[in-house]
């Protein structure tokens, strides 16, 4: 329900901060958003949420890719996010391979990933073309790279601290929330930035979240 002008305003604000890519989590983007990214030079990881190999999941992938594959701003597709029950096992790996093989029939020009929050070595992370890392604190990212040195990695999600902007106290009656670090102290915004900046085999990261919602 955003106007095209508001889409461009939000993207411009992100670019002012130095952002050069947006992940659409956890759903396909609106056409107006993608048109604005094409126009303004913002890269996009477009994402479908649910993982599976039945007709519903294939239909979701087909609708997203066939509708949006002519947008030059899209540089990578994400075929799922945080399927905790299957992230770290062979079942998840098999489903990921099946989904990627199906999606590649619709677009063979772009890379594919699935955003996973751990279990990379034994599950989805080893199966996708690009390993999607949600939170470096959830597993051994360096160990995964050493095990699969030829597989690219991308930080699909890291958290900012959670708070109500401009508020420094918690007040439930006013729905105010003071600054809270919900992840371990070895994770979060600064730690993740330094990790991806210092490891050239990892291709940058997306923060949750870039815009208020």
């Amino acid at each position: 329900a955003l106007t095209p002008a508001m889409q461009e305003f939000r993207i411009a604000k992100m670019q002012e901060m130095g952002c050069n890519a947006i992940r659409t989590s956890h759903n396909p983007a609106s056409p107006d958003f993608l048109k604005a990214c094409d126009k303004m030079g913002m890269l996009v990881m477009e994402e479908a949420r649910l993982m599976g190999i039945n007709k519903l999941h294939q239909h979701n992938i087909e609708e997203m890719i066939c509708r949006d594959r002519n947008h030059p701003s899209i540089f990578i597709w994400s075929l799922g996010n945080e399927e905790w029950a299957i992230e770290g096992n062979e079942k998840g790996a098999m489903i990921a391979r099946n989904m990627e093989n199906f999606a590649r029939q619709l677009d063979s020009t772009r890379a594919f990933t699935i955003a996973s929050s751990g279990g990379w070595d034994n599950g989805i992370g080893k199966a996708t073309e690009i390993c999607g890392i949600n939170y470096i604190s959830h597993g051994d990212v360096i160990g995964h790279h050493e095990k699969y040195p030829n597989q690219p990695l991308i930080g699909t999600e890291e958290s900012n601290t959670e708070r109500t902007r401009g508020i420094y106290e918690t007040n439930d009656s006013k729905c105010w929330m003071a600054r809270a670090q919900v992840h371990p102290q070895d994770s979060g915004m600064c730690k993740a930035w330094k990790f991806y900046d210092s490891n050239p085999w990892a291709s940058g990261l997306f923060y949750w979240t870039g815009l208020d919602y």
Side-chain angles (χ1 to χ4, degrees):
L2 293 176
T3 64
M6 181 57 73
Q7 298 281 15
E8 293 189 10
F9 172 82
R10 298 174 83 182
I11 293 167
K13 286 297 178 184
M14 299 289 285
Q15 289 177 323
E16 287 176 14
M17 294 189 292
C19 173
N20 65 357
I22 295 175
R23 173 192 177 202
T24 69
S25 50
H26 303 293
N27 52 270
S30 71
D32 285 338
F33 169 82
L34 292 174
K35 290 177 183 177
C37 288
D38 293 343
K39 175 182 176 181
M40 302 174 70
M42 178 68 80
L43 297 174
V44 176
M45 172 191 288
E46 189 165 28
E47 181 170 274
R49 163 65 183 89
L50 297 175
M51 290 188 63
I53 58 175
N54 61 33
K55 290 184 178 179
L56 170 65
H57 300 102
Q58 290 183 345
H59 174 75
N60 290 343
I61 292 172
E62 186 172 7
E63 280 213 326
M64 176 180 72
I65 293 179
C66 290
R67 188 196 69 170
D68 296 336
R69 60 191 173 189
N70 288 327
H71 285 282
S73 56
I74 297 173
F75 77 104
I76 186 173
W77 302 104
S78 174
L79 301 178
N81 177 74
E82 291 192 1
E83 294 282 3
W84 294 338
I86 60 174
E87 281 190 350
N89 55 48
E90 190 59 35
K91 180 179 180 180
M94 292 174 65
I95 291 174
R97 292 188 189 101
N98 185 292
M99 294 180 70
E100 192 170 296
N101 289 336
F102 175 79
R104 189 165 281 111
Q105 296 177 59
L106 305 170
D107 184 1
S108 62
T109 68
R110 293 178 176 89
F112 293 92
T113 191
I114 291 173
S116 299
S117 58
W120 304 302
D121 283 359
N122 300 311
I124 291 171
K126 71 176 183 180
T128 52
E129 178 182 2
I130 295 179
C131 182
I133 305 293
N134 278 14
Y135 304 100
I136 57 175
S137 63
H138 288 179
D140 184 2
V141 182
I142 294 177
H144 180 88
H145 169 66
E146 292 174 346
K147 191 173 182 179
Y148 304 98
N150 295 321
Q151 182 190 34
L153 290 89
I154 189 167
T156 38
E157 189 173 319
E158 289 288 338
S159 181
N160 301 314
T161 52
E162 297 188 0
R163 62 180 292 177
T164 305
R165 185 170 61 187
I167 296 298
Y168 301 94
E169 64 176 299
T170 296
N171 186 320
D172 292 338
S173 66
K174 296 183 178 180
C175 298
W176 289 356
M177 186 172 72
R179 179 186 183 277
Q181 173 61 279
V182 297
H183 293 285
Q185 290 303 308
D186 65 344
S187 185
M189 190 166 186
C190 293
K191 177 77 174 184
W193 180 273
K194 292 177 182 178
F195 178 88
Y196 285 96
D197 185 53
S198 62
N199 290 296
W201 42 264
S203 55
L205 74 156
F206 295 92
Y207 281 111
W208 187 283
T209 178
L211 298 165
D212 289 344
Y213 57 90

